[in-house]
């Protein structure tokens, strides 16, 4: 048996030897072949030794290198290749080659496909659980707009334009940083000289023009009136001139400090582009880059403020299309006066090369027409800045709506410091990772990343995302660049969210199916190979290792799969435990800082806000707003009030207590004569009128604080801190919400009482300090520490204002009020009986009642006949003046009849409700007497020859045409002549109204130490 057994082993080794020698995959002269033959000889020798020890002598001899030599001399084409199976063909170096081939051909595709499948499943999970719900959190609807209002819907008329002289917009050399900030708050724009060196501007201009020539259509950015206008995205390192220009901007010794004080430290970059216009470019429409309904002008805690720097790359004249601006309109929702009173920054000269206008994006402006056939192309380099995002746990603001945000995708997420050191800090792949919000270096700060800002815009159908045709074109052009088998087709009614959701789902399903199919196919091939290898080996009497090798490969692949799955689980765990994910799950991400208004009504009257009112609130008392937190101080009545308080404080420090009270009352009486009220924005966002006692207490406190600069600054910091406790999301506990404000108020009360000032609270004071919600009793007045005079501390260490105030450097010029009737008809509140211009355009005035005030100045009126007229502006209203005997009006006898001219001959007053007054009138046409109610009466304004009117064609309420009355007809109609010379005859007076642009008279608004506006 031992002899037979040894013979079988010897035969097996001999067969293996022959198979190795006949293998075409191995060179017979290679070291691998010699090593294999030597190994087989050693094995045979060991077997022979084992037989000799058992008393049996083998019958086989060793074969040396002669066999290899003999086989080498034979014809290799005659070697039977079919006998090279399994791993029998490769030993040593051949094994490594076959292993590499097996990994590349079989294992790597499996692992790569499985990796894509895992990524697709992760993306689908993150999208379904977080990204899609995040879209809902980003949606800014009417509920948000009602709750988050921080200003009012302001319509700018000519007196909001702060200057008509371009020279007033230039920053002067002697200005301090604070002067520059105040200049921006005054005009909403400032011009800085030599932002770029002339050689840098020229070099950058040459590169921009060269890029325009070689630019493809897909690289162009659409701009308003884009005929003969070109724009494209710019990267920080696209050209040495770009990097150099950016460095000069961020290191400018005058601009950089002002920028960071206006916007915030190390602001984010949200736009960088160039705009070129050539001869033939037309005037753009007047616009602001951020729409009013999605801007910090009205919703300061909901949208980030943004500021653009327009840099002239050549000397630009008016004919070349120098930018037109409308200063002072950055807080306006509508600015119809710009069309008539806006001006070009070049004036009658030039906008110098390298100079730049720094402008709040809410300011109205436009690109002017290029009408100089001999003039060169006008090129602008534009960078837009915005505050950096706060901690994701506390951020409440979205990116402003309506903007183009022309910034290349990989430039998002970066800040001013990154752009300053662009060569070192903005290299790939780190630039792209930061742009996507995935990674940032430890020594840098986050800007607004690409995914976040795109999600915000997509959720609100902003800037093209609500256009179905653009989505269809996007899908037709292969969308986000996926292969065709992973892309989805456009369907009618599909939105961007639908497209993203279907794309993510399709990628996951297709990759899962492909992964399952490929794994199944390769598994079948491996099993089949193992079976065939085993059968062949048994037939030849050899020992097969095919099954063992197949299992080894499968174990290796499963190890890869396990590592990928565990890595995916770890990544998902990190994401799910992040503040971002928890904020989405808790629905607190980017949520409003303001509480839902309670049902308790405010007893104070709700006002219709006008430009003459003094506005007070605590919703802007946040440092993260930058200079925007002081915006109210530079609006309308607040300017007059601050000037008056500043002047009165110089008197108050020398007066006795009773004289200070008389000073305060004199100021308030002057305000009333100017139709100016003190309004406070309550928790329901309504602007309510302060009572006389509250107004007196507040004015007294303001005057006395103005006389003590240190205490005034401390009082402002206290306001900011209290607003953070009240609205800030980082303060949630009882200590922050209750106890800390209580202690802060106690400290301020102690400090202010030492100099005779008792704190006055506009809103609800902390529990424990007072017990009434609104302080409207005499107890809130100032109680001096001594009876004789107010105790003002010595201020020798404080630099007092000199006669040469910095106000001499920062001038504010603007127009006189065009609506002179506001002095008689202003100061409207909710519930007032008014006379409203029908639909705001027709020359028809009906008696009605203010039933609702929205956004401070949008008014709904219910007429006496029950009809509602919605969304009227303040200038469409006037307080109702009772009808008088002998007055000419228009009446109708029944619902279906037309209005007829009539004269009032008797008034029958109602004892219960004045709205039910009855009038006895005599018709002018037939002298017939009628009794009508006030709901059937209207007033119209009569126009005479020479009057300028605005004509409203029938059925075209959106269009109004300027015309002049040229003739009065006997039937009460008139003939009018339009500005283009065309005339129209027999026009009824109800078809036109008095134009808004009545007149414009400019005067200097420089403050002095006397009480300029509210006379004492």
């Amino acid at each position: 048996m031992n002899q037979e057994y040894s013979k079988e082993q010897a035969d097996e080794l001999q067969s293996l030897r022959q198979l190795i020698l006949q293998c075409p995959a191995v060179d017979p002269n290679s070291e691998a072949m010699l090593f294999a033959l030597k190994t087989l000889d050693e094995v045979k020798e060991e077997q022979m030794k084992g037989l000799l020890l058992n008393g049996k002598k083998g019958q086989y001899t060793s074969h040396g290198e002669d066999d290899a030599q003999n086989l080498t001399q034979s014809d290799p084409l005659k070697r039977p290749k079919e006998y090279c199976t399994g791993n029998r063909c490769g030993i040593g170096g051949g094994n490594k080659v076959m292993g590499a081939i097996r990994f590349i051909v079989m294992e790597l595709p499996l692992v790569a496909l499985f990796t894509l499948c895992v990524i697709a499943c992760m993306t689908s999970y993150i999208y379904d659980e977080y990204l899609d719900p995040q879209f809902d959190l980003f949606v800014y609807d009417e509920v948000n707009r009602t709750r988050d209002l921080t200003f009012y819907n302001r319509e700018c008329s000519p007196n909001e334009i702060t200057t008509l002289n371009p020279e007033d917009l230039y920053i002067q050399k002697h200005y301090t940083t604070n002067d520059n900030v105040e200049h921006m708050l005054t005009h909403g724009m400032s011009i800085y000289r030599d932002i770029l060196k002339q050689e840098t501007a020229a070099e950058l201009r040459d590169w921009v023009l060269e890029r325009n020539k070689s630019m493809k259509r897909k690289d162009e950015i659409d701009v308003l009136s884009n005929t003969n206008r070109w724009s494209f995205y710019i990267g920080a390192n696209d050209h040495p001139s770009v990097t150099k220009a950016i460095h000069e901007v961020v290191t400018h010794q005058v601009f950089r400090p002002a920028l960071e004080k206006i916007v915030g430290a190390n602001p984010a970059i949200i736009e960088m582009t160039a705009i070129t216009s050539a001869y033939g470019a037309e005037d753009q429409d007047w616009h602001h880059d951020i729409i009013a309904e999605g801007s910090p002008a009205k919703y300061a805690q909901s949208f980030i403020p943004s500021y653009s720097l327009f840099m002239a790359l050549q000397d630009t004249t008016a004919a070349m299309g120098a930018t037109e601006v409308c200063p002072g309109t950055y807080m306006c929702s509508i600015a119809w006066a710009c069309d008539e009173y806006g001006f070009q920054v070049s004036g009658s000269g030039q906008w110098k090369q390298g100079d730049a206008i720094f402008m709040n994006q809410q300011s109205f402006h436009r690109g002017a027409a290029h009408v100089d056939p001999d003039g060169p192309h006008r090129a602008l380099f534009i960078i837009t800045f915005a505050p950096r995002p706060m901690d994701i746990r506390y951020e409440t603001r979205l990116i402003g709506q309506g903007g183009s945000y022309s910034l290349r995708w990989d430039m998002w997420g970066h800040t001013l410091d990154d752009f300053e050191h662009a060569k070192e800090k903005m290299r790939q792949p780190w630039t792209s990772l930061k742009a996507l919000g995935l990674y940032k270096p430890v020594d840098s700060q986050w800007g607004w990343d690409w995914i976040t800002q795109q999600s915000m815009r997509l959720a609100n159908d902003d800037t093209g995302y609500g256009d179905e045709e653009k989505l269809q074109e996007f899908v037709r052009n292969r969308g986000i660049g996926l292969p065709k088998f992973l892309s989805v087709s456009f369907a009618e009614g599909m939105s961007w969210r639908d497209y993203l959701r279907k794309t993510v789902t399709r990628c996951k399903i297709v990759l899962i199916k492909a992964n399952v199919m490929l794994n199944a196919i390769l598994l079948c091939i491996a099993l089949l190979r193992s079976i065939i290898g085993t059968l062949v080996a048994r037939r030849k009497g050899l020992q097969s290792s095919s099954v063992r090798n197949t299992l080894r490969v499968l174990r290796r692949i499963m190890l890869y799969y396990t590592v990928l799955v565990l890595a995916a689980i770890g990544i998902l765990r990190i994401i799910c435990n992040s503040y971002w994910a928890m904020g989405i799950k808790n629905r607190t991400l980017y949520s409003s800082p303001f509480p839902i208004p309670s049902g308790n009504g405010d007893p104070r009257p709700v006002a219709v806000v006008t430009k003459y009112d003094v506005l007070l609130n605590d919703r802007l008392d946040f440092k993260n707003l930058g200079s925007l937190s002081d915006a109210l101080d530079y609006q309308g009545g607040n300017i007059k009030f601050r000037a008056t308080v500043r002047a009165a404080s110089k008197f108050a420090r020398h007066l006795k207590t009773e004289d200070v009270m008389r000073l305060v009352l004199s100021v308030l009486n002057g305000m009333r004569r100017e139709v100016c009220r003190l309004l406070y924005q309550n928790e329901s966002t309504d602007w309510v009128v302060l009572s006389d006692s509250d107004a007196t207490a507040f004015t007294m406190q303001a005057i006395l604080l103005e006389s003590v600069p240190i205490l005034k600054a401390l009082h402002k910091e206290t306001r900011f801190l209290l607003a953070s406790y009240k609205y800030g999301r980082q303060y949630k506990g009882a200590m922050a919400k209750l106890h800390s404000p209580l202690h802060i108020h106690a400290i301020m009360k102690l400090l202010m009482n030492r100099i005779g000032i008792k704190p006055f609270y506009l809103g609800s004071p902390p529990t424990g300090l007072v017990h009434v919600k609104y302080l409207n009793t005499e107890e809130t007045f100032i109680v001096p520490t001594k009876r004789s005079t107010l105790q003002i501390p010595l201020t020798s260490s404080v630099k007092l204002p000199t006669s040469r105030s910095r106000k001499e450097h920062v001038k504010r010029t603007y127009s006189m009020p065009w609506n002179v009737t506001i002095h008689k008809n202003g100061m409207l509140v909710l519930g007032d009986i008014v006379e409203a211009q029908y639909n705001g355009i027709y020359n028809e005035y009906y008696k009605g009642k203010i039933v609702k005030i929205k956004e401070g100045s949008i008014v709904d009126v219910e007429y006496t006949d029950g009809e509602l007229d919605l969304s009227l502006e303040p200038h469409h209203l006037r307080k109702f003046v009772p009808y008088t005997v002998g007055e000419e009006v228009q009446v109708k006898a029944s619902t279906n009849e037309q209005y007829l001219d009539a004269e009032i001959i008797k008034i029958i007053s109602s004892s219960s409700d004045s709205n039910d007054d009855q009038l006895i009138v005599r018709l002018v046409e037939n002298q017939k007497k009628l009794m009508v109610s006030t709901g059937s009466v209207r007033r119209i304004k009569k126009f005479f020859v020479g009057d300028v009117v605005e004509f409203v064609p029938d059925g075209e309420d959106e269009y109004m045409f300027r015309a002049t009355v040229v003739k009065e007809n006997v039937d009460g109609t008139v003939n009018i002549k339009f500005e283009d010379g065309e005339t129209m005859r027999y026009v009824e007076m109800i078809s036109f109204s008095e134009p808004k642009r009545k007149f414009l008279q400019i005067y200097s608004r420089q403050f002095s130490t006397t009480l300029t506006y509210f006379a004492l």
Side-chain angles (χ1 to χ4, degrees):
M1 293 297 292
N2 291 333
Q3 185 176 0
E4 294 177 0
Y5 177 73
S6 62
K7 185 177 180 180
E8 291 178 359
Q9 289 180 329
D11 291 339
E12 183 178 353
L13 290 173
Q14 184 66 21
S15 299
L16 181 60
R17 183 187 186 89
Q18 294 298 325
L19 288 173
I20 292 175
L21 291 173
Q22 294 172 2
C23 181
V26 182
D27 185 1
N29 295 323
S30 66
E31 294 182 1
M33 177 65 78
L34 297 176
F35 176 80
L37 297 174
K38 183 178 179 181
T39 302
L40 289 174
D41 290 341
E42 292 175 353
V43 172
K44 290 171 64 176
E45 289 177 2
E46 291 177 359
Q47 290 178 350
M48 292 297 295
K49 291 179 182 179
L51 291 174
L52 289 173
L53 290 175
N54 292 326
K56 302 292 182 179
K57 186 177 180 180
Q59 302 176 0
Y60 304 100
T61 60
S62 172
H63 297 277
E65 298 180 2
D66 295 336
D67 293 330
Q69 184 67 28
N70 294 332
L71 187 61
T72 304
Q73 296 173 358
S74 63
D75 189 357
L77 297 177
K78 297 181 180 180
R79 296 170 183 171
K81 299 181 180 180
E82 63 271 13
Y83 291 104
C84 183
T85 60
N87 277 346
R88 302 296 188 185
C89 298
I91 297 178
N95 247 348
K96 294 179 181 179
V97 173
M98 294 302 296
I101 293 174
R102 182 178 59 247
F103 176 77
I104 294 174
V105 174
M106 184 173 68
E107 297 177 18
L108 185 60
L110 283 173
V111 174
L113 183 60
F114 188 78
T115 302
L116 292 176
C117 184
V118 170
I119 293 174
C121 292
M122 287 177 57
T123 304
S124 178
Y125 177 82
I126 294 171
Y127 184 87
D128 293 338
E129 294 294 323
Y130 300 110
L131 290 177
D132 195 59
Q134 181 180 246
F135 288 137
D136 296 327
L137 298 180
F138 283 154
V139 172
Y140 203 77
D141 54 22
E142 292 304 317
V143 175
N144 298 97
R145 290 186 172 90
T146 301
R147 178 178 57 189
D148 299 345
L149 190 69
T150 57
F151 195 52
Y152 74 100
N153 188 74
R154 182 177 180 183
E155 180 178 336
C156 280
S157 53
N159 63 308
E160 265 75 28
I161 300 177
T162 53
T163 184
L164 297 184
N165 185 4
E167 291 299 321
D168 291 337
L169 299 181
Y170 279 87
I171 296 296
Q172 304 302 322
K173 292 183 179 180
H174 57 270
Y175 281 11
T176 65
T177 299
N178 289 335
D179 291 335
N180 297 339
V181 174
E182 187 170 351
H183 188 275
M184 172 62 77
L185 287 170
T186 300
H187 301 293
M189 57 189 69
S190 304
I191 300 179
Y192 290 81
R193 301 182 190 272
D194 300 324
I195 287 287
L196 299 179
K197 296 178 182 178
Q198 291 190 358
E199 56 270 21
T200 302
E203 183 181 355
L204 180 57
R205 181 178 185 274
D206 292 340
W207 177 77
V208 169
L209 297 182
E210 193 64 31
R211 274 288 304 269
N212 289 337
K213 294 178 182 178
S214 60
M215 184 168 49
K216 298 179 180 179
R217 179 65 185 92
K218 64 177 183 178
D219 298 324
E220 291 185 23
I221 302 174
D222 289 334
V223 295
L224 295 176
S225 303
N226 61 356
T227 301
N228 290 340
R229 281 189 173 92
W230 304 274
S231 180
F232 58 89
Y233 299 112
I234 297 178
N237 293 316
D238 278 1
H239 191 266
S241 63
V242 177
T243 307
K244 185 178 179 181
I246 294 173
H247 187 267
E248 290 180 7
V249 170
V250 299
T251 58
H252 196 277
Q253 294 183 351
V254 176
F255 175 70
R256 176 71 179 263
L259 168 68
E260 295 197 308
K261 196 158 187 178
I262 292 170
V263 186
N266 191 24
I269 306 297
I270 61 172
E271 186 173 38
M272 187 165 69
T273 184
I275 298 180
T276 307
S277 61
Y279 173 68
E282 298 178 349
D283 283 329
Q284 293 180 333
D285 293 330
W286 284 98
H287 64 279
H288 39 195
D289 291 332
I290 305 299
I291 62 173
E293 296 307 309
S295 74
K298 293 173 66 174
Y299 312 100
Q301 288 294 336
S302 303
F303 298 97
I304 59 170
S306 51
Y307 303 81
S308 291
L309 186 68
F310 291 73
M311 290 162 273
L313 301 184
Q314 67 287 303
D315 292 340
T316 307
T317 63
M320 289 170 57
T323 303
E324 286 191 83
V325 295
C326 203
T329 57
Y330 67 97
M331 295 294 283
C332 300
S333 301
I334 304 172
W336 48 263
C338 294
D339 192 43
E340 193 165 348
Y341 303 115
F343 57 87
Q344 292 179 279
V345 295
S346 60
S348 58
Q350 291 182 333
W351 183 11
K352 292 294 185 181
Q353 184 181 46
D355 289 356
I357 180 167
F358 185 49
M359 180 166 53
N360 191 315
Q361 281 202 304
Q362 297 153 221
S363 297
F364 281 83
H365 64 283
R366 69 175 178 178
H370 193 308
V371 296
D372 186 357
D374 300 322
H377 288 16
R378 184 219 65 174
L380 292 177
F381 181 45
I382 302 172
I383 302 178
T384 301
F385 309 90
R388 286 182 290 105
M390 297 189 298
D391 190 306
I392 192 67
R393 294 171 291 176
Y394 314 131
E395 184 60 84
T396 63
R397 300 166 299 172
L398 308 177
I399 196 165
Q401 296 180 1
S404 60
Y405 300 111
S406 302
L407 186 66
R408 202 172 70 192
W409 76 270
D410 59 339
M411 296 292 102
W412 284 96
H414 295 85
T415 63
L416 193 66
D417 288 344
D418 297 328
F419 277 76
E420 181 179 1
H421 306 94
K423 290 184 178 180
E424 297 81 16
K425 291 188 175 183
M426 300 184 69
R427 293 180 176 180
Q428 296 294 354
W430 316 117
T431 297
S432 296
L433 291 176
K434 191 172 185 181
L436 295 173
L438 300 178
Y439 168 81
K440 74 172 183 65
V442 178
D443 60 344
S444 67
Q445 295 174 305
W446 283 114
W448 293 92
D449 66 86
W450 183 81
I451 293 178
T452 298
Q453 63 88 17
Q454 288 289 337
S455 299
M456 292 175 177
R457 298 167 69 187
L458 187 151
N460 293 283
D461 293 336
D462 185 30
T463 320
Y465 282 110
D467 191 342
E468 191 173 301
E469 292 183 359
K470 289 189 176 181
L471 174 59
Q472 185 175 5
E473 181 182 358
F474 179 79
V475 174
R476 187 169 57 249
N477 295 331
R478 290 190 57 188
I480 57 178
L482 293 174
K484 189 174 182 180
F485 67 91
L486 292 177
S487 302
V488 297
S489 301
F490 178 80
E492 193 71 25
M494 176 184 285
S495 66
W496 283 88
R497 288 181 65 175
D498 296 334
Y499 169 74
L500 291 177
R501 186 184 301 109
K502 291 182 178 180
T503 299
V504 171
T505 303
R506 179 174 178 81
C507 289
K508 181 183 72 171
I509 294 175
V510 170
L511 289 173
I512 288 177
K513 290 181 178 179
N515 192 74
V516 171
M517 291 176 61
L518 185 58
N519 277 274
I521 291 172
L522 291 179
L523 181 60
C524 292
I525 293 175
L527 291 175
L528 184 61
R529 174 182 175 276
S530 300
I531 294 172
I532 294 175
T534 302
L535 293 175
V536 171
R538 287 183 178 179
R539 184 176 180 181
K540 297 296 183 179
L542 303 176
Q543 184 178 359
S544 175
S545 60
S546 298
V547 175
R548 184 169 59 254
N549 293 336
T550 300
L551 291 176
R552 188 183 300 118
V553 172
L554 294 178
R555 283 197 301 270
R556 193 159 48 244
I557 292 175
M558 290 304 298
L559 179 61
Y560 294 152
Y561 286 1
T562 303
V563 171
L564 288 172
V565 170
L566 291 177
I569 293 174
I571 294 173
L572 287 177
R573 185 178 180 84
I574 294 173
I575 293 175
C576 294
N577 291 331
S578 66
Y579 292 123
W580 171 75
M582 290 189 291
I584 294 174
K585 286 297 184 182
N586 299 331
R587 301 192 65 80
T588 59
L589 187 70
Y590 293 95
S591 60
S592 172
F594 303 115
I596 298 175
S598 60
N600 300 327
D602 193 325
R604 294 172 288 192
V606 180
V608 178
V609 184
T610 70
K611 61 181 73 71
Y612 307 104
D613 291 321
V614 179
L615 305 181
L616 312 170
N617 71 7
D618 57 0
R619 295 187 165 214
L620 294 176
D621 293 339
F622 289 87
K623 289 188 175 181
N624 65 304
L625 298 180
S627 63
L628 189 63
S629 61
D630 295 324
L632 284 184
D633 290 339
Y634 295 84
Q635 307 302 316
N638 292 64
I639 298 175
K640 296 182 179 182
F641 182 77
R642 283 198 310 126
T644 303
V645 166
R646 187 179 300 113
S649 67
K650 296 177 174 58
F651 294 95
R653 68 176 66 235
H654 306 295
L655 299 178
K656 296 181 179 181
T657 304
E658 55 271 20
D659 294 329
V660 173
M661 181 59 68
R662 284 196 290 270
L663 176 66
V664 171
L665 296 177
S666 178
V667 169
L668 293 175
N669 289 333
M671 292 172 60
R672 294 188 185 96
R673 288 194 297 270
E674 293 285 338
V675 199
C676 182
R677 302 164 293 183
L678 266 68
L679 306 182
Y680 172 70
Q681 190 177 30
N682 62 16
E683 293 183 1
S684 300
T685 72
D686 293 324
W687 293 91
V688 295
V689 183
L690 293 186
S691 64
D692 290 344
S693 58
D694 283 356
T696 302
F698 177 81
T699 305
M700 175 79 79
Q701 176 180 268
I703 291 174
L704 296 179
L705 284 176
E706 187 69 31
S707 64
V708 189
I710 292 179
L711 191 57
K712 177 186 175 183
L714 182 60
H715 184 265
K716 182 177 181 178
E717 291 297 320
T718 301
R719 286 189 1 244
F720 282 21
L721 189 57
L722 290 174
S724 297
Y725 284 132
K726 183 177 180 181
Y727 300 120
R729 290 173 51 189
Q730 62 268 46
Y731 303 115
K732 299 180 181 179
M735 178 63 73
K737 292 296 184 182
L738 177 62
H739 300 293
S740 294
L742 188 67
H743 292 302
I744 292 173
H745 275 282
I747 293 172
M748 284 305 301
K749 181 179 180 181
L750 178 64
L751 292 174
M752 295 174 71
N753 280 341
R754 291 190 63 183
I755 60 173
I757 306 175
K758 189 174 181 179
F760 172 76
Y761 310 107
L762 286 170
S764 303
T767 304
L769 291 180
V770 293
H771 302 287
V772 294
K773 186 173 183 180
Y774 304 108
L775 303 180
N776 52 10
T777 64
E778 293 295 329
E779 295 178 0
T780 62
F781 289 170
I782 303 302
V783 180
T785 56
K786 292 185 178 182
R787 290 177 294 175
S788 57
T789 60
L790 291 170
Q791 299 299 304
I792 305 297
L794 295 176
T795 57
S796 57
S797 61
V798 179
K799 185 178 180 180
L800 298 176
T802 61
S803 59
R804 189 174 181 268
S805 172
R806 70 182 183 185
K807 288 295 182 182
E808 297 177 12
H809 309 311
V810 184
K811 296 183 179 180
R812 178 183 178 92
T813 58
Y814 74 109
S815 62
M816 289 287 288
W818 62 268
N819 190 355
V820 294
T821 60
I822 191 68
H823 293 273
K824 298 179 181 179
N825 304 317
M827 303 182 75
L828 300 174
V829 298
L830 185 67
D832 274 357
I833 303 300
V834 296
E835 205 165 42
Q837 183 180 9
Y838 187 62
N839 284 350
I841 55 175
Y842 297 105
N843 185 24
E844 309 170 45
Y845 293 86
Y846 299 90
K847 183 180 179 182
K849 181 180 180 180
I850 297 178
V851 294
K852 188 175 183 179
I853 302 174
K854 299 172 291 187
E855 299 182 10
S857 63
I858 301 177
V859 182
D860 293 347
V861 173
E862 182 181 5
Y863 296 115
T864 52
D865 63 357
E867 182 180 353
L868 284 173
D869 204 349
L870 307 178
S871 301
L872 298 176
E873 298 289 341
H875 61 266
H876 298 145
L877 310 174
R878 57 192 183 195
K879 282 191 174 180
F880 177 73
V881 178
Y883 297 114
T884 58
V885 175
E887 181 181 357
E888 294 183 359
V889 294
Q890 288 189 340
V891 301
K892 61 178 180 179
S894 63
T895 304
N896 298 326
E897 292 186 10
Q898 294 183 346
Y899 279 90
L900 302 174
D901 292 333
E903 179 185 359
I904 301 175
I905 58 177
K906 187 176 181 180
I907 300 175
I908 304 175
S909 300
S910 172
S911 59
S912 58
D913 190 350
S914 60
N915 287 344
D916 294 332
D917 288 352
Q918 300 292 315
L919 306 179
I920 299 178
V921 300
R922 180 187 297 112
L923 299 180
V924 174
E925 184 179 16
N926 53 20
Q927 300 299 307
K928 181 180 179 181
K929 293 183 179 180
L930 295 174
M931 177 178 289
V932 296
S933 65
T934 54
S936 301
V937 180
R938 72 182 183 188
R939 286 175 169 140
I940 64 170
K941 178 178 176 59
K942 291 188 176 295
F943 295 96
F944 304 95
V945 174
D947 286 347
V948 178
V949 297
E950 286 183 345
F951 174 72
V952 184
D954 292 339
E956 298 184 12
D957 296 353
E958 297 181 358
Y959 300 95
M960 304 181 75
F961 302 94
R962 182 74 65 91
T964 303
V965 178
V966 294
K967 182 181 179 181
E968 298 179 46
N969 302 314
V970 294
D971 59 355
T973 62
V974 295
N975 296 350
I976 59 176
K977 183 177 182 179
F978 295 100
E979 292 180 327
D980 60 1
E982 184 181 350
T983 60
M984 182 176 290
R985 303 172 62 188
Y986 301 105
V987 182
E988 295 185 0
M989 290 191 182
I990 62 171
S991 299
F992 45 76
S993 61
E994 186 178 14
K996 295 177 182 178
R997 305 169 182 82
K998 195 168 184 180
F999 60 85
L1000 178 68
Q1001 179 179 352
I1002 302 297
Y1003 74 101
S1004 175
R1005 189 166 186 173
Q1006 183 170 345
F1007 303 131
S1008 64
T1009 56
T1010 60
L1011 301 184
T1012 309
Y1013 298 99
F1014 305 141
L1016 301 179

